[in-house]
């Protein structure tokens, strides 16, 4: 029984380490993805839109495509798609652009965030498993011998408390990081929504069906 609990203890520590690394990696990837996708602020976006509106006003589509092509942020890529597919018509194009934003940008971010959520839920549960196993080991020593070695029993209780603390130490920072990322995502969505509104106002007069 003691050997089994020892192996389970190692297993719990390994699993906690793996999910901690995976959760941290996903948080970093989502943070980078959001940073690469959005403009720093509305002024930065307005500057880009001002240049784009000038090219669209003169129907210089090649210049508009060149302006957007090298910019990997969400709005320039959506604008590039809109200009290249302008023959679709206003209503259909607007729907396609919205779908593309959800598929190409938000789906990837939400996928990564779902993994962070899984880590947040599973880390305390794995820690609780370690707690249960540690207490089982302590009670096994307590009930299996008339003279209990307090040092050995304390090790089992210590293991139980450490795994609980590790599970919480993984989950709590990830909860705070996820809250911060969600704020950044909402700001990005607001900026992209404002930008797309201006883009389609510029395209309204030149697209068929508008």
């Amino acid at each position: 029984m003691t050997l089994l609990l020892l192996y389970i203890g190692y297993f719990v520590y390994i699993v906690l380490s793996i999910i901690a690394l995976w959760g941290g990696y996903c948080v970093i990837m989502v943070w980078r993805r959001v940073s690469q996708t959005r403009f720093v602020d509305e002024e930065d976006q307005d500057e880009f839109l001002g240049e784009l509106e000038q090219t669209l006003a003169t129907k210089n589509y090649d210049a508009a495509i060149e302006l957007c092509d090298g910019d990997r942020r969400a709005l320039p890529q959506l604008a590039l798609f809109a200009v290249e597919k302008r023959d679709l018509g206003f209503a259909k194009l607007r729907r396609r652009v919205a779908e593309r934003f959800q598929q190409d940008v938000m789906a990837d971010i939400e996928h990564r965030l779902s993994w962070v959520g899984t880590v947040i839920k599973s880390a305390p549960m794995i820690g609780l498993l370690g707690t249960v196993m540690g207490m089982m080991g302590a009670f096994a020593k307590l009930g299996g011998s008339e003279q209990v070695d307090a040092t050995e029993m304390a090790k089992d209780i210590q293991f139980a408390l450490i795994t609980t603390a590790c599970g919480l130490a993984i989950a709590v920072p990830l909860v705070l990081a996820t809250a911060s990322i969600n704020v950044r995502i909402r700001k990005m969505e607001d900026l992209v929504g404002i930008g797309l509104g201006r883009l389609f106002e510029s395209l309204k007069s030149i697209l068929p069906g508008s």
Side-chain angles (χ1 to χ4, degrees), residues 61-130:
Y61 300 123
D62 290 337
I65 290 171
E66 185 179 350
L67 177 65
C68 299
D69 194 29
D71 197 328
R72 307 311 302 172
R73 288 172 291 192
L75 183 60
Q77 288 303 300
L78 293 172
L80 175 63
F81 177 80
V83 173
E84 289 180 337
K85 304 293 184 181
R86 59 188 180 276
D87 293 336
L88 290 174
F90 186 79
K92 189 174 182 180
L93 182 60
R94 191 160 197 163
R95 185 170 62 253
R96 291 283 299 276
V97 167
E99 290 171 356
R100 189 166 182 122
F101 177 63
Q102 289 298 322
Q103 292 170 1
D104 293 354
V105 179
M106 296 307 300
D108 178 58
I109 292 173
E110 288 168 2
H111 172 71
R112 293 287 184 184
L113 274 182
S114 69
W115 275 111
V116 177
T118 301
V119 171
I120 290 170
K121 293 175 184 175
S122 61
M125 299 301 292
I126 298 297
L128 182 59
L129 173 63

Side-chain angles (χ1 to χ4, degrees), residues 134-153:
M135 295 308 295
M136 285 175 62
F139 284 123
K141 289 183 176 65
L142 186 63
S145 175
E146 292 183 2
Q147 192 167 5
V148 180
D149 186 342
T151 302
E152 290 299 317
M153 189 173 175

Side-chain angles (χ1 to χ4, degrees), residues 15-17 19-21 23 119-120 123-124 165-175:
V15 171
L16 284 172
S17 300
I19 64 175
L21 290 172
V119 171
I120 290 170
C166 287
L168 293 173
I170 294 169
V172 171
L174 291 179
V175 169

Side-chain angles (χ1 to χ4, degrees), residues 45 49 53 75 189-200:
Q45 181 171 282
L49 286 170
E53 285 168 347
L75 183 60
E189 288 180 310
D190 290 342
L191 274 177
V192 170
I194 292 169
L196 287 178
R198 283 186 57 180
L199 171 65
F200 280 101

